[in-house]
Amino acid sequence: MAVKTEYLNQTMVSHFILQGLMYTAEHPGLFFLLFLLIYSITVTGNLLILLTVGSDPHLRSPMYHFLGHLSFLDACLSTVTVPKVMAGLVTLDGKVISFHCCAIQLYCFHFLASTECFLYTVMAYDRYLAICQPLHYPVAMNRRVCAGLAGSTWATGAVHSAIHTSLTFHLLYCGPHHIAYFFCDIPPVLKLACADTTINELVMLANIGVVAAGCLILIIISYVFIVAAVLRIRTAEGRQRAFSTCTAHLTVVLLYYMPPVCIYLQPSSTGAGAGAPAVFYTIITPMLNPFIYTLRNKEVKQALKRLVISKLTKSEIKMRTKRQNLWKSNETSCHIRKPLSYSSSKDFEYCIEHK
């Protein structure tokens, strides 16, 4: 599990062993099926939302453009962690992760998670413009601005993750190599470093704290203005319609922000038990997002119905076309072939009946 290096006459680990989630070792088969079900629902649901938003012409507003990005992020975020958790439940080798793969997993996780954090802020700003400044909304959130905001979330997330990954794996790791967590994250990996991690922890608290707190403050400010604008609407139907476009976003924001606050503001509390809060925003929240946005949004539900109906209609048309082509080929063969050339009397009777 280790290779020699001349750096400080220490031994640098080449692999880590993921301890996994608490209580899963007692019933690995049951938890494997559970995580497989969750992962299947997550990927299927988010890809279905992405397909619906991309194919339905009625869902061309910026809100659904950002929803498509969110669905893609959720599917990818779940893919970064869940398959490795399932592999660790099947075999002992599934718990082993190489040093470089650990760095890649940490980078991908923080890249996707921070991008999603920025995207939630952009989505709150979009709702603010749509409800508080409806007349200026088409101009303020045109296609170019919408694409620029979405692209900036991805770019900022990539830079943010690169900083943390480089700082984390710049340290020397000489053992032990057991990560008391179910994936490679900054707090549990730093506990294995053979060097002073004070600077890393300060940067982590400052960077992640500033980013998360800043995004959350902007979201709260946006919703303060949104609530004030909605309360000024005279009709109850208008208020309900305005709130319905925000409740789904506000629900997933609360589910997403609360667990990381418990984890990254207390780096010393890492362990197999500390992985429970992370399960919510890495595994559970990506699964719930498609249901939250679908059940609370009539336009998405109608678009899903249209998508399903169109797919069924296309498949039915293909089946009818195949039957018609088969019918025509049978009719042609009946006219051309002589009775004695049929392989059986049933074929001849079939052609006689369908002439």
Side-chain angles (χ1 to χ4, degrees):
M1 284 295 180
V3 295
K4 294 292 182 180
T5 180
E6 297 180 0
Y7 182 72
L8 295 178
N9 295 322
Q10 296 286 346
T11 304
M12 182 177 178
V13 299
S14 60
H15 293 77
F16 294 110
I17 298 178
L18 298 170
Q19 187 172 331
L21 289 166
M22 187 177 289
Y23 307 121
T24 56
E26 298 176 2
H27 304 283
L30 178 62
F31 280 101
F32 176 84
L33 294 177
L34 177 61
F35 283 118
L36 179 61
L37 177 63
I38 292 174
Y39 181 65
S40 301
I41 293 174
T42 300
V43 174
T44 303
N46 283 289
L47 291 182
L48 186 61
I49 294 292
L50 185 61
L51 178 63
T52 304
V53 171
S55 61
D56 197 295
H58 298 86
L59 303 179
R60 288 290 182 266
S61 65
M63 180 178 70
Y64 297 113
H65 176 77
F66 296 134
L67 179 59
H69 283 269
L70 178 63
S71 298
F72 182 73
L73 281 168
D74 281 334
C76 294
L77 185 62
S78 184
T79 302
V80 169
T81 57
V82 179
K84 190 60 182 176
V85 173
M86 293 192 298
L89 293 171
V90 176
T91 61
L92 292 176
D93 290 338
K95 294 179 177 291
V96 179
I97 185 169
S98 68
F99 185 87
H100 297 291
C101 289
C102 185
I104 292 172
Q105 187 185 48
L106 189 146
Y107 174 81
C108 292
F109 172 76
H110 280 273
F111 167 47
L112 297 168
S114 57
T115 301
E116 190 163 329
C117 176
F118 298 134
L119 185 63
Y120 282 133
T121 308
V122 171
M123 294 174 75
Y125 176 66
D126 171 70
R127 291 298 82 206
Y128 161 75
L129 289 178
I131 295 175
C132 298
Q133 300 182 16
L135 297 178
H136 299 282
Y137 180 69
V139 178
M141 193 62 73
N142 55 48
R143 287 187 177 183
R144 178 179 292 183
V145 174
C146 187
L149 288 173
S152 64
T153 61
W154 287 90
T156 310
V159 174
H160 179 264
S161 180
I163 294 173
H164 285 289
T165 305
S166 60
L167 287 175
T168 301
F169 288 94
H170 180 72
L171 299 172
L172 177 68
Y173 294 89
C174 55
H177 51 258
H178 283 79
I179 298 178
Y181 217 52
F182 64 98
F183 70 98
C184 291
D185 199 5
I186 297 174
V189 172
L190 285 180
K191 291 188 70 175
L192 305 181
C194 300
D196 185 14
T197 60
T198 304
I199 296 178
N200 296 73
E201 292 178 0
L202 289 175
V203 171
M204 180 181 66
L205 290 174
N207 197 347
I208 296 179
V210 169
V211 169
C215 291
L216 187 59
I217 289 172
L218 290 175
I219 292 173
I220 293 173
I221 293 174
S222 298
Y223 274 99
V224 168
F225 284 103
I226 288 171
V227 171
V230 170
L231 293 177
R232 287 197 295 267
I233 298 176
R234 296 181 180 179
T235 62
E237 183 181 355
R239 288 195 297 269
Q240 184 178 2
R241 184 177 179 182
F243 271 126
S244 65
T245 63
C246 301
T247 50
H249 176 255
L250 194 57
T251 302
V252 296
V253 165
L254 293 175
L255 288 173
Y256 183 81
Y257 270 94
M258 295 306 167
V261 171
C262 301
I263 296 170
Y264 296 106
L265 293 183
Q266 297 178 346
S268 59
S269 63
T270 57
V279 170
F280 283 95
Y281 77 100
T282 59
I283 299 176
I284 302 301
T285 302
M287 180 189 67
L288 294 178
N289 279 354
F291 295 100
I292 294 172
Y293 278 100
T294 302
L295 296 176
R296 291 182 172 274
N297 194 304
K298 293 182 179 179
E299 293 182 351
V300 175
K301 286 192 288 187
Q302 292 173 357
L304 281 171
K305 290 180 182 179
R306 288 193 293 267
L307 179 65
V308 172
I309 292 173
S310 66
K311 293 296 181 182
L312 292 176
T313 304
K314 288 180 181 179
S315 62
E316 186 178 352
I317 291 174
K318 287 182 180 179
M319 290 296 295
R320 288 181 180 179
T321 304
K322 287 182 179 179
R323 290 176 183 175
Q324 291 176 356
N325 292 336
L326 181 62
W327 184 280
K328 290 180 181 179
S329 63
N330 287 334
E331 277 191 338
T332 304
S333 63
C334 288
H335 286 296
I336 295 176
R337 295 162 63 188
K338 296 179 181 180
L340 294 177
S341 64
Y342 292 101
S343 60
S344 65
S345 60
K346 291 183 179 181
D347 294 338
F348 180 70
E349 290 175 0
Y350 174 84
C351 285
I352 294 299
E353 289 177 2
H354 293 81
K355 270 188 176 182

